[in-house]
């Protein structure tokens, strides 16, 4: 049976109630908006870059507990990383939430999202902010997940 | 606690007819509360569809042999049943489409875009519509320079009828409205709206996707020009819908689909249309779907639409009471069940509707979360999304109790 406790872990609920880096960046040099039209979730991700390095990151918007906590924890995980490293982390994260973790140890705290793999419908929630980050890094501006 | 209601219908017996209600989800008996999205199907409908394919599958209207004759008889028989069900004057006023969506598009295209509408004409709609009664009219707006206006809504979910006084003008050619909101359940006074449209020389289009399945609907009493609904929301199969129009309107309307069946004669470069309703049924129709819908109509007639409506009123009343006991429950729409259908949209504290639906799913309870294809209405309500429970003939007060218990579980998870 699908395990609710594994999905809604303490850390996840905490981040959904008190999201970190939950603000815009006035001096952002990259931003992107990500939408999930199915459930109305929408996040804007702001990046301040130094060369290829993400020196600061913030996000705004609304979404379910999974999408919001994922966005919050993502901002903590990628701050100080290069764009390439962040995208690499997204690949690991995606493997985790789709139940095919190749290198779970690389994920650190993000490993709490492993419970998502039992709820395939929620994979999009967990990865919305990451897709948005990727769009910002690639200067795409907006993405929509169907 | 809410007081137990006495059901006037033998729901236990009805439930016996629905094979899917015997299954479990995540180890719990299924509680299906998403009939506004699509209804479940009784054995009688499932058997009718399978019977068509096992016993008399043949193309309708063309075959000169026994099977074709049987198929045509059943298909046309279904049209007669549907016509009777909505009190059409004749089966000729009923065309089969694939859905409400197709019916509304066919009207916007065939009567609007290719038919009667000219630049400068106006269409009066409402903020309460489903996307399928918004977007087809946007096509007309964009391609024809026709102006759209939207009647507003009060905070408790009633159309602002006074808006019609100012919005309907001599330029108005179409007044379109949903008879029952798929989000709030509000039942709109379509008879009055049709009257106002006609007084201004406009036609009235009714989206009946949420009304025909759940309450007695009489197109002659409403006095509308067109009315659209879907089979899959009324115990019938998917892929079959109904376009009702008065003979006069259907004759004025151009077909959306060109092809076989909808033509009388074809020469290189030109064609003459078949009579109504066949001119709207280009190509091989969804025969099994139509036949299944006919049986769904028989099934609903067997219960009686008055009793269907009464059952849902009782359940909705019970649910509004039982759910308001849950901490943080906020229901949208009217309190008065006389003016609303069996649809309850709600939020629960600051738990996102998506999380509510996920947690209920683990409890075996199926509800919907999101914008319910009514984003303009969500903007009006100023919420990004709601959770929605909707009822039908097979739902029980015990299932409402399980929903209430499920919502308490949601609160526990988020405590
Ligand atoms: C009020 C209303 N109109 C139109 C539709 C569209 O129906 P369908 O998807 O069957 O075409 C729906 C169904 O979701 C509805 O609730």
């Amino acid at each position: 049976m699908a395990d609710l406790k594994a999905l809604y872990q303490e850390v996840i609920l905490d981040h959904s109630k008190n999201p970190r880096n939950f603000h815009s960046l006035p001096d952002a040099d990259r931003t992107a908006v990500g939408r999930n039209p199915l459930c109305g979730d929408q996040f804007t991700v702001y990046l301040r870059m130094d060369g290829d390095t993400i020196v600061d990151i913030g996000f705004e918007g609304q979404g379910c507990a999974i999408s919001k906590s994922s966005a919050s924890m993502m901002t903590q995980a990628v701050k100080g990383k290069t764009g390439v490293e962040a995208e690499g982390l997204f690949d690991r994260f995606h493997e985790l939430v789709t139940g095919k973790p190749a290198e779970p140890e690389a994920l650190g705290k993000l490993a709490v999202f492993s419970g998502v793999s039992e709820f395939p419908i929620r994979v999009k929630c967990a990865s919305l902010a990451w897709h948005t980050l990727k769009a910002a890094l690639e200067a795409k501006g907006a993405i929509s997940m169907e | 606690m809410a007081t137990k209601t006495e059901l006037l219908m033998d729901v236990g017996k009805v439930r016996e007819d629905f094979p899917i209600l015997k299954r479990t989800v995540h180890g719990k008996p299924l509680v299906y509360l998403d009939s506004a999205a699509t209804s479940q199907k009784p054995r009688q409908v499932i058997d009718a569809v399978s019977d068509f394919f096992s016993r008399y599958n043949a193309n309708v209207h063309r075959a000169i042999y026994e099977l074709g004759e049987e198929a045509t008889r059943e298909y046309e028989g279904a049209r007669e049943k549907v016509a009777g069900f909505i009190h059409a004057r004749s089966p000729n006023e009923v065309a089969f489409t694939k859905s409400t969506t197709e019916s509304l598009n066919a009207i916007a295209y065939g009567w609007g875009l290719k038919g009667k509408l000219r630049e400068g004409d106006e269409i009066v709609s409402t903020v309460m519509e489903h996307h399928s009664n918004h977007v087809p009219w946007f096509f007309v707006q964009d391609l024809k320079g026709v102006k759209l206006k939207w009647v507003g809504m009060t905070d408790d979910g009633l159309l602002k009828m006074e808006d019609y006084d100012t919005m309907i003008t001599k330029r108005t050619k179409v007044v379109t409205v949903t008879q029952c909101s798929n989000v709030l359940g509000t039942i709109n006074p379509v008879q009055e709206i049709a009257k106002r449209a006609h007084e201004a020389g406009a036609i009235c289009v009714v989206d009946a996707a949420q009304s025909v399945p759940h309450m007695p609907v009489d197109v002659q009493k409403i006095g509308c020009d067109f009315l659209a609904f879907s089979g899959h929301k009324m115990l019938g199969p998917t892929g079959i819908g109904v376009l009702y129009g008065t003979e006069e309107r259907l004759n004025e309307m151009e077909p959306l689909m060109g092809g076989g069946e909808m033509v009388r004669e074809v020469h290189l470069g030109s064609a003459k249309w078949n009579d109504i309703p066949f001119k709207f049924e280009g190509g091989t129709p969804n025969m099994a779907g139509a036949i299944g819908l006919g049986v769904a109509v028989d099934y609903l007639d067997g219960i009686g639409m008055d009793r269907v409506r009464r059952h849902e009123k009782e359940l909705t009343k019970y649910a509004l009471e039982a759910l308001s006991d849950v901490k943080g429950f906020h229901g949208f729409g009217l309190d008065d069940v006389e003016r609303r259908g069996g649809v309850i949209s709600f939020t629960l504290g600051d738990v996102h509707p998506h999380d509510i639906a996920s947690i209920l799913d683990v409890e075996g309870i199926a509800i919907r979360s999101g914008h319910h294809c009514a984003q303009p209405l969500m903007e009006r309500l100023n919420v990004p999304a709601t959770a929605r429970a909707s009822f039908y003939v097979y739902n029980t007060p015990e299932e409402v109790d399980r929903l209430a218990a499920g919502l308490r579980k949601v609160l526990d998870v988020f405590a």
Side-chain angles (χ1 to χ4, degrees), chain B residues 52 55-59 63 65-72:
Chain B
F52 168 73
R55 292 203 313 112
Y56 59 99
N57 173 53
N59 211 327
Y65 47 78
E66 177 60 24
L67 296 189
E69 220 167 90
E70 286 178 23
T72 304

Side-chain angles (χ1 to χ4, degrees), chain B residues 114 263 265-273:
Chain B
K114 270 201 90 183
V263 275
E265 48 183 273
V266 181
H267 309 282
L268 291 178
S270 69
K272 283 206 177 79
W273 307 154

Side-chain angles (χ1 to χ4, degrees), chain B residues 36-38 98-104 128-133 178-183 207-211 228-233 240 372-373 388:
Chain B
T38 196
K98 89 175 166 69
S99 59
T100 308
T101 303
E102 186 186 316
S103 299
L104 292 168
M128 212 185 270
E129 302 309 308
H130 185 279
H131 292 166
S132 66
N133 199 26
T178 185
Q179 185 169 12
C180 177
S181 162
N182 65 312
V183 176
D207 173 354
Q210 297 294 345
S211 55
F229 56 99
S230 298
H232 70 93
K233 292 183 199 283
I240 189 77
H372 318 296
C373 292
R388 181 186 74 183

Side-chain angles (χ1 to χ4, degrees), chain A residues 1-2 4 7-8 13 16-17 37-41 62-66 119 121-122 125, chain B residues 26-28 352 354-356 358-359 361-363 369-371 375 384-385 409 413-415:
Chain A
M1 194 187 102
L4 273 181
L7 180 65
Y8 292 103
L13 291 174
S16 80
K17 285 173 196 155
L38 194 70
C39 49
D41 289 4
Q62 60 199 5
C64 63
I66 303 302
F119 296 81
I121 301 169
R122 306 306 293 275
C125 308
Chain B
H26 298 303
K28 312 254 169 73
H352 192 282
H354 214 155
D355 294 309
I356 300 176
S358 250
I359 295 170
D361 175 49
V362 176
E363 296 297 305
S369 69
H371 52 59
Q375 281 179 332
K409 176 111 189 220
V413 171
F414 278 82

